[in-house]
Each structure stands twice: as structure tokens, then as C-alpha cells.
Amino acid sequence: MLIVMRKTADEKAQEEIKSFLIERGFDIHQSTGANRVIIGVIGDTETLPEADIKAFPGVLQVVRIAKEE
Amino acid sequence: MGIDDIRDEIDRLDSELLRIFNERASLALKIGEIKKGLDLPVYDPTREKRIFARMTSENHGPLDDQAIVRLFERVIDESRRLERIMTRGEH
């Protein structure tokens, strides 16, 4: 799963979502670009409802990675 | 210095980086053990911020500060993963 943060998302918003994910046992790979932060979530993200992630402040988009057959 | 000489030097530095990454990871694991004993969270954003600030303040390039932050984000991500595995007794 990829979580794209809004340009306006501040550090507190990033910390909040990262803390949520890490506490639930997910590994994260943060990529900080010039304008945006993208958080790659590693683990069984099927248990993560998109709506819950989108409800966090600063989250622009949640992208699920398609499962390989 | 020719290309082969430069590549030899890069190989030497990569080996040194490998040793340093693992030495750092070993220390991170020790921190993880202490955190586990004290029931402290794996994620410590204040500590991460301090690392980024210190590394960018000591940075003299040619990598720019954003590149330094990105590199250390990856190092920290992997340290955190190791800590999590250790804390939960996963393999």
C-alpha cells in the first residue's frame, strides 16, 4: 500500500499516520520528495481499511498494490 | 586515477558502509531490547528528527541535505524493522 500525503501535511500529520502503522506492526518506507511525502506500507495491508487511513489528517490518496495471481 | 581505480575505491567504501550499517543495526537492536524492557514504543519521531537535523548540519556535500535525509530515512526504516522483529520475537 502507498499513502500519498498532501503537500500541506505537516510533521505532526506524518507522525500520526506513521505511529498508527508502526504500532500495528507494519514496516514503512518513507520517501520524502520536494513537494510530497509518500509512505510505503509493507505487510498484510488487507487488514487495513482504506477509509481508516484516509481519515487521517494530511492523507491525500491511498493506493493499494494489486495482488499477483 | 582511471575508472578501474575509482571503482576499486567505491568497492572499498561500499564494504566499509556495509560494516558500518551492520554495526549501527546492532546498536539499534540493543536500543530495541531496552525499549522492550521499558515497554517503550519503537517509533520515536523526536529522535529521528534529531538525527536528520544533526546529519544535515554536518553535511558538506556533494549530496544535498534532502538526499541525506532520504538516505537516513531508509537506514532508520530498516533499523525500526529490526527492532520490531526483535521486540515481537519474529524471525
Side-chain angles (χ1 to χ4, degrees), chain A residues 11 15 18-19 22-25 27-32 34, chain B residues 42-43 45 48-49 66 70 73-74 77-78 80-81 84 88:
Chain A
E11 283 186 1
E15 284 171 16
K18 283 165 69 176
S19 180
I22 291 164
E23 279 170 17
R24 277 153 187 78
D27 291 327
I28 58 164
H29 287 179
Q30 180 172 335
S31 300
T32 305
Chain B
V42 170
Y43 181 46
E48 292 186 10
K49 265 187 240 171
Q66 285 184 329
R70 285 194 296 268
E73 277 174 354
R74 293 297 298 118
D77 284 345
E78 292 303 331
R80 204 190 296 115
R81 190 180 71 82
R84 180 181 59 74
R88 296 188 171 191

Side-chain angles (χ1 to χ4, degrees), chain B residues 3-48:
Chain B
I3 285 179
D4 287 344
D5 296 323
I6 296 170
R7 284 183 174 156
D8 284 347
E9 187 64 2
I10 286 175
D11 287 348
R12 187 188 67 75
L13 288 172
D14 284 348
S15 295
E16 183 70 0
L17 282 172
L18 178 66
R19 185 189 66 73
I20 291 170
F21 282 147
N22 278 310
E23 189 176 335
R24 189 189 190 285
S26 297
L27 293 172
L29 276 177
K30 285 184 184 174
I31 298 271
E33 283 172 19
I34 294 169
K35 282 182 180 173
K36 186 181 179 184
L38 298 173
D39 202 23
L40 292 171
V42 170
Y43 181 46
D44 185 353
T46 310
R47 169 66 180 156
E48 292 186 10

